[in-house]
Amino acid sequence: MMHTLTYTSNRAGTVIDLADPEGIMCGQILELRTRTWEFELGYRSLHATRPAKTVKVTGLVYGIPALEKAEELFDADMYAYLNDAAKPGVITVDGWSQTCLVVGHEPDYTSPLLVRGDFTVALLDGVWHKPVRQSFSRSTARYNRGKGYPYDYRYDYAPTRNVSSIDNQSALPSRMRLTIYGPVSTPSIIIGGNKVIADVSVPSGGYLIIDGTGSPRTAVMVAANGDITNVFDKTHRDQASNEYAFATLPPGLQQVSWDESFGFDVEYWLEQTGLPWT
């Protein structure tokens, strides 16, 4: 059962509620739940992809102004995408999203107060994704004072590192976005069997974003004053040595380790070909 359905314009920042009983109410979304791979059979083999596709969503519109406002936004987003290289919109159903453009509306019933018809939506990602975020904090005890004892010893005994992990509930590998907070020089993080390394110095108040969720993949450093620097070429991208900054997160429980001198967030995307039923 669907609870929320929205369209977000990346161009205008406007969000249209498509499950609004007093505006646009889209109740039939069966085609959004369709799980389809395009495939070609070979000799005892199969090649498959998940390309962009169009689906129809049936909607009841209570009030013509709501429909006119939505169609103006859909047209403006389409024009900007085709002519200005603008980002497409995003359709979100109960937290699951993908980029899209609304390419048509076919009414089959009209009255002074009500319009019923099908919206044609071009789904551009081929998959639905739902972000999950997990934060890992800097160990202040480990890097501030060590561990105190009532007697003098030749060494400071640092607190034991916490055992950290990510439990990826997806059945598929998940794309990741890492946000690493400064100050830190040459941050290194091991997730599962892969090491993420960037040869940069992240200043205090700044942060580094290593984003493997989009296309193309990006790595940028944001200073405390908001200045942005492209540092893609500073990331390690050696897949053969398991030092790939844009590696996906495998399913299941993955151990996470770092020197705990800095904090970071991991956002990973659960992915499904069709919308889940629950």
Side-chain angles (χ1 to χ4, degrees):
M1 180 179 178
M2 178 194 70
H3 298 285
T4 61
L5 172 60
T6 61
Y7 172 87
T8 302
S9 168
N10 277 319
R11 175 191 57 83
T14 304
V15 179
I16 295 180
D17 186 354
L18 298 177
D20 181 1
E22 297 181 355
I24 301 176
M25 182 67 185
C26 296
Q28 293 295 326
I29 62 166
L30 291 179
E31 290 194 22
L32 292 179
R33 299 192 187 279
T34 302
R35 189 184 71 85
T36 304
W37 290 71
E38 285 197 5
F39 64 92
E40 181 179 345
L41 293 176
Y43 178 70
R44 296 181 179 176
S45 65
L46 179 148
H47 175 72
T49 59
R50 293 181 290 187
K53 64 179 181 180
T54 59
V55 297
K56 291 187 181 297
V57 178
T58 302
L60 294 175
V61 183
Y62 299 91
I64 302 301
L67 177 60
E68 291 180 335
K69 181 180 179 181
E71 291 192 329
E72 288 177 359
L73 183 69
F74 297 151
D75 278 349
D77 284 356
M78 175 67 81
Y79 182 90
Y81 177 79
L82 295 174
N83 296 280
D84 302 327
K87 292 182 178 181
V90 176
I91 187 170
T92 304
V93 184
D94 295 336
W96 292 84
S97 303
Q98 69 170 294
T99 59
C100 76
L101 290 163
V102 181
V103 298
H105 178 243
E106 303 172 39
D108 61 16
Y109 173 82
T110 62
S111 74
L113 298 177
L114 175 67
V115 176
R116 184 184 65 199
D118 289 335
F119 292 96
T120 302
V121 182
L123 302 175
L124 304 181
D125 294 341
V127 296
W128 293 89
H129 60 81
K130 184 176 184 178
V132 178
R133 174 171 289 190
Q134 189 166 337
S135 296
F136 299 86
S137 300
R138 177 180 184 269
S139 175
T140 55
R142 185 176 183 85
Y143 284 91
N144 283 349
R145 64 180 183 274
K147 190 171 183 178
Y149 286 95
Y151 307 102
D152 284 336
Y153 288 91
R154 294 181 60 188
Y155 308 100
D156 287 331
Y157 289 84
T160 303
R161 293 183 183 179
N162 294 324
V163 176
S164 300
S165 62
I166 298 175
D167 190 6
N168 183 7
Q169 297 293 320
S170 177
L172 304 175
S174 298
R175 291 174 283 173
M176 291 192 294
R177 177 190 292 121
L178 278 71
T179 304
I180 300 170
Y181 301 99
V184 58
S185 181
T186 314
S188 175
I189 304 167
I190 299 175
I191 302 177
N194 181 71
K195 182 179 289 187
V196 177
I197 304 175
D199 296 323
V200 298
S201 292
V202 185
S204 179
Y207 53 93
L208 168 67
I209 300 176
I210 300 175
D211 191 351
T213 63
S215 181
R217 297 173 175 85
T218 60
V220 297
M221 188 158 59
V222 183
N225 63 0
D227 288 347
I228 299 175
T229 305
N230 183 356
V231 294
F232 181 86
D233 61 341
K234 303 297 184 181
T235 60
H236 289 209
R237 300 184 301 281
D238 186 352
Q239 290 178 282
S241 299
N242 293 321
E243 289 188 5
Y244 187 50
F246 304 99
T248 55
L249 179 69
L253 188 66
Q254 308 299 323
Q255 298 299 317
V256 178
S257 62
W258 78 111
D259 68 7
E260 300 183 15
S261 66
F262 59 94
F264 63 97
D265 296 332
V266 177
E267 180 182 297
Y268 59 98
W269 287 5
L270 307 179
E271 290 191 356
Q272 290 196 191
T273 307
L275 277 175
W277 291 91
T278 57

